[in-house]
Amino acid sequence: MPNGEVKNEPGSDSTAVASNPQQSGQVEEQHRTAASQLVQEPAGPGPSSSAAARDRTYITPGAYSQREEALIKREQDGDIAFRYVLNNDDPQNLIYLVGLKNIFSKQLPNMPKEYIVRLVFDRRHRSVALLKRNGTVIGGITYRAFHEQAFGEIAFCAVTSHEQVKGYGTRLMNQTKEFARTVDRLTHFLTYADNNAVGYFEKQGFTREITLERERWQGYIKDYDGGTLMECVMHPRISYTALPDLIRTQRLALDDRIREVSNSHVVRPGLRHFQEEDARLAAATAAAAAAGGKGSAAGAAQAGDAAAGGTEAAAAPTADTDPALRRRMLDIGSIPGVREAGWSPDMVQQGPRVRLLLDEAGAGPAVEAGPEALHSFLRLLLEHVKGLEDSWPFRERVAVQDAPDYYDIIKDPMALDVMEERLACRGYYATLDIFTADLRRVFDNCRLYNAPDTIYYKLANKLEAQVNTFMAHRVLYEEDSGGGGGQAGAGR
């Protein structure tokens, strides 16, 4: 609550009353009886208890529900209590009303003290007092209940200064709504709020739009110059003291509905493919090394023949020479839950079919872009880019000592040496588009970090143009493979 102060100008004594005095007196007597019974209850939660709903499946609550639940727990433990109070000559009620009068007088210094006393002790007004365990009043709300018109006008709302910013304001308003809804049978609250209080009332569900029929409230409340008239509609089926449970119930119902149409709640085991591949590759590499680098990993038993014959030992096998050292790709359909979610191989988007020229001069015959041909072409392209004179700034990762803030600005860094490592594993660049995306990121990162007038920015543009020229003459789309060069590039 801002500054612990909500200033309103309630209706004066000249406000209209019910036209039937006898009926009005009966209504007043019924409410006094009900209020007296409530006041005599022991400390605890408000008119309704929400313990049963709290036994449901736990769902992590939001910030609002967390604060409300903390206060509900304090109510259940007896640390705080809320009391519905009116001037019915009960001594305990009078003690509570005196406590409320003192708080309103201190927290609302612009309100005349005589005015506060007159409204707080007026028998037509109702109050909800916030009590500590020892019975001390630390806050409250006073409102005038117009039973025939089924609305109430909030006169004062305040919490003592040393108990603010603890969520009491929201809980106090919810308790007031619940008492007004169940005891006074009100459907609306009206109040004039000053500039400091508008934000608080908006958080409590009040709006500047007045939906209550004008004839139901006009003449019953006094206009307040400089204040904003606000309204809160209280639904008869909502328990305002059990809002966290209401929200939880709604979330459970929504979750049940989602489970009917989706399997998103099913937690499946993680992928073991990558761990298994790492273990397999480590074993295959160790076996090849133990074989002395002779032949493939599968022919490790013949290791040492070259040394025995006096000939030079063969080079150690690599992923290029030994298929057993290549990382196997993961089939999308084997991922748990993918097929259950409705995926099928027909849904895989096939890119344009291309043919590649693997001759360094770009004059050889075009071949299908199969795995081996694609790998050879990407290796040719990467070596070509690294060999260009303008590629020197992009060959290695940017060192932090050279550009301390580089990785604060560039969140997805890329360099030619990283691409070389990915190409060597033979499983990363499954398509030409993945490779060109990494290459394009090299240039985009450079242009993002450097100013247009720097040498690095200009080299990025120049190198990108050279890469596009190289690819345009060596990547042929199917419709162009009959003649001439296709249109491909890293900068598209």
Side-chain angles (χ1 to χ4, degrees):
M1 228 174 334
N3 302 323
E5 182 170 335
V6 177
K7 297 176 289 188
N8 304 280
E9 183 71 20
S12 65
D13 291 340
S14 60
T15 302
V17 296
S19 59
N20 189 332
Q22 182 178 2
Q23 182 181 2
S24 177
Q26 294 175 353
V27 173
E28 290 285 340
E29 184 60 32
Q30 292 174 0
H31 290 303
R32 289 177 185 175
T33 303
S36 299
Q37 294 173 353
L38 284 171
V39 171
Q40 294 170 4
E41 291 180 355
S48 64
S49 175
S50 55
R54 216 163 295 283
D55 296 333
R56 296 174 186 159
T57 304
Y58 180 77
I59 294 182
T60 304
Y64 173 86
S65 294
Q66 286 180 337
R67 175 173 279 193
E68 280 287 282
E69 288 183 347
L71 291 176
I72 290 174
K73 180 64 167 57
R74 293 195 61 188
E75 291 178 51
Q76 294 171 344
D77 294 341
D79 294 334
I80 59 175
F82 295 88
R83 287 290 174 266
Y84 180 87
V85 184
L86 72 165
N87 187 357
N88 60 351
D89 298 328
D90 180 270
Q92 185 60 62
N93 277 6
L94 293 176
I95 294 175
Y96 292 153
L97 291 176
V98 170
L100 288 172
K101 181 266 299 182
N102 293 336
I103 289 177
F104 294 151
S105 298
K106 184 176 182 179
Q107 298 300 128
L108 308 176
N110 295 332
M111 284 289 178
K113 291 181 173 55
E114 298 80 4
Y115 184 72
I116 294 176
V117 171
R118 180 158 53 88
L119 266 62
V120 169
F121 286 91
D122 190 334
R123 294 180 182 271
R124 296 171 298 183
H125 283 70
R126 308 288 185 263
S127 297
V128 177
L130 168 59
L131 312 176
K132 295 286 281 186
R133 180 184 289 272
N134 59 5
T136 303
V137 179
I138 60 172
I141 292 177
T142 294
Y143 64 93
R144 170 78 179 273
F146 297 94
H147 299 104
E148 290 296 319
Q149 287 71 33
F151 81 91
E153 181 194 13
I154 295 180
F156 309 117
C157 173
V159 174
T160 186
S161 58
H162 61 274
E163 295 288 352
Q164 293 180 14
V165 200
K166 296 182 180 180
Y168 288 146
T170 298
R171 188 64 183 167
L172 178 60
M173 182 61 72
N174 287 338
Q175 289 281 357
T176 302
K177 292 178 184 177
E178 187 67 8
F179 282 120
R181 181 185 71 89
T182 58
V183 179
D184 293 310
R185 304 298 178 185
L186 306 183
T187 60
H188 294 73
F189 261 140
L190 294 178
T191 186
Y192 272 100
D194 68 4
N195 294 333
N196 293 328
V198 168
Y200 164 76
F201 279 109
E202 287 179 341
K203 292 179 181 179
Q204 310 311 318
F206 284 74
T207 64
R208 302 168 191 257
E209 180 183 1
I210 310 302
T211 61
L212 186 65
E213 297 85 351
R214 194 174 187 86
E215 56 271 14
R216 285 178 58 183
W217 61 268
Q218 190 173 28
Y220 289 86
I221 63 176
K222 182 181 177 181
D223 292 336
Y224 174 50
D225 294 336
T228 302
L229 182 61
M230 305 187 73
E231 175 197 72
C232 177
V233 180
M234 293 174 287
H235 197 284
R237 297 178 58 186
I238 293 180
S239 175
Y240 290 93
T241 55
L243 285 179
D245 293 305
L246 176 62
I247 295 172
R248 182 183 295 110
T249 301
Q250 291 175 333
R251 294 180 65 179
L252 284 172
L254 181 60
D255 185 66
D256 291 340
R257 184 69 184 93
I258 292 175
R259 289 168 183 253
E260 294 178 3
V261 298
S262 169
N263 291 328
S264 59
H265 62 284
V266 178
V267 179
R268 304 182 185 278
L271 299 178
R272 300 187 56 83
H273 171 82
F274 304 102
Q275 292 180 344
E276 294 172 353
E277 277 297 287
D278 288 342
R280 185 189 65 81
L281 289 176
T285 303
K294 174 65 177 179
S296 68
Q302 301 178 6
D305 290 351
T311 60
E312 183 179 356
T318 64
D320 288 333
T321 59
D322 190 348
L325 299 180
R326 299 175 186 174
R327 185 178 294 275
R328 293 176 296 195
M329 297 181 62
L330 174 64
D331 177 30
I332 250 180
S334 66
I335 299 176
V338 169
R339 294 185 183 274
E340 290 81 351
W343 180 88
S344 67
D346 299 335
M347 298 173 64
V348 178
Q349 293 184 354
Q350 299 293 339
R353 295 176 61 84
V354 297
R355 298 172 70 84
L356 306 172
L357 297 175
L358 301 182
D359 183 78
E360 189 170 350
V367 298
E368 290 285 346
E372 292 299 326
L374 177 63
H375 180 76
S376 299
F377 175 78
L378 296 182
R379 186 170 53 186
L380 173 67
L381 172 58
L382 188 58
E383 290 299 325
H384 173 76
V385 174
K386 290 172 58 181
L388 293 175
E389 182 180 357
D390 297 325
S391 67
W392 63 266
F394 314 106
R395 292 170 185 165
E396 296 179 354
R397 301 170 178 87
V398 176
V400 176
Q401 56 267 28
D402 296 336
D405 63 339
Y406 183 83
Y407 293 99
D408 294 331
I409 300 173
I410 304 302
K411 301 302 181 181
D412 192 6
M414 184 54 58
L416 297 180
D417 60 342
V418 177
M419 297 182 63
E420 189 172 23
E421 294 173 2
R422 292 180 173 182
L423 182 62
C425 74
R426 299 186 66 99
Y428 190 89
Y429 294 123
T431 67
L432 178 63
D433 289 337
I434 298 176
F435 183 89
T436 56
D438 276 356
L439 196 55
R440 184 165 52 247
R441 189 173 298 112
V442 173
F443 307 135
D444 291 342
N445 288 345
C446 178
R447 287 186 286 255
L448 176 61
Y449 183 79
N450 299 282
D453 58 347
T454 61
I455 183 63
Y456 302 105
Y457 193 102
K458 296 175 181 178
L459 286 177
N461 289 340
K462 186 176 180 181
L463 185 62
E464 184 178 38
Q466 292 174 321
V467 170
N468 289 341
T469 300
F470 180 88
M471 293 183 62
H473 291 84
R474 290 167 176 80
V475 180
L476 309 177
Y477 289 102
E478 190 167 281
E479 58 270 24
D480 299 325
S481 59
Q487 298 298 318
R492 286 204 307 168

